[in-house]
Amino acid sequence: AAPQHVLMVVANDGFYYQEYSHPRATLEASGVEVSVAAGRAETAVPHAGTGQPPGLDGSLLPDLSLAAVNSADDDALVIVGGWGASSYQYAFEG
């Protein structure tokens, strides 16, 4: 069965915008509900020049922090790349 809810994880600083925006648009167009989490439930800022719409920096406010994630709520996980994603490989505060 296709996933009904997908959790996307972005770094608070330095995620790759197109790796967030394109999969999210595709999932939502298929009827999948998407939530976004980050290390902190504060504005997440992508790398400059990673596919943001003209005139926008691509910043977003995550729906929740990683600490607040309940994996039972999600059918699949997408970890968005970018330099900031390494913070999850090597640990982060919070």
Side-chain angles (χ1 to χ4, degrees):
Q4 299 300 306
H5 189 271
V6 172
L7 179 69
M8 296 186 79
V9 175
V10 299
N12 283 102
D13 185 27
F15 71 92
Y16 198 98
Y17 186 79
Q18 282 185 334
E19 289 186 16
Y20 157 76
S21 63
H22 291 183
R24 181 172 188 160
T26 300
L27 289 164
E28 290 179 337
S30 298
V32 176
E33 184 180 346
V34 176
S35 294
V36 178
R40 299 175 314 279
E42 301 168 2
T43 300
V45 181
H47 288 289
T50 57
Q52 295 87 329
L56 298 176
D57 71 0
S59 295
L60 62 96
L61 184 62
D63 298 303
L64 67 167
S65 69
L66 287 175
V69 169
N70 177 355
S71 62
D73 294 339
D74 308 306
D75 298 305
L77 172 69
V78 174
I79 299 176
V80 177
W83 288 110
S86 65
S87 64
Y88 299 128
Q89 181 178 4
Y90 299 110
F92 60 94
E93 293 182 18

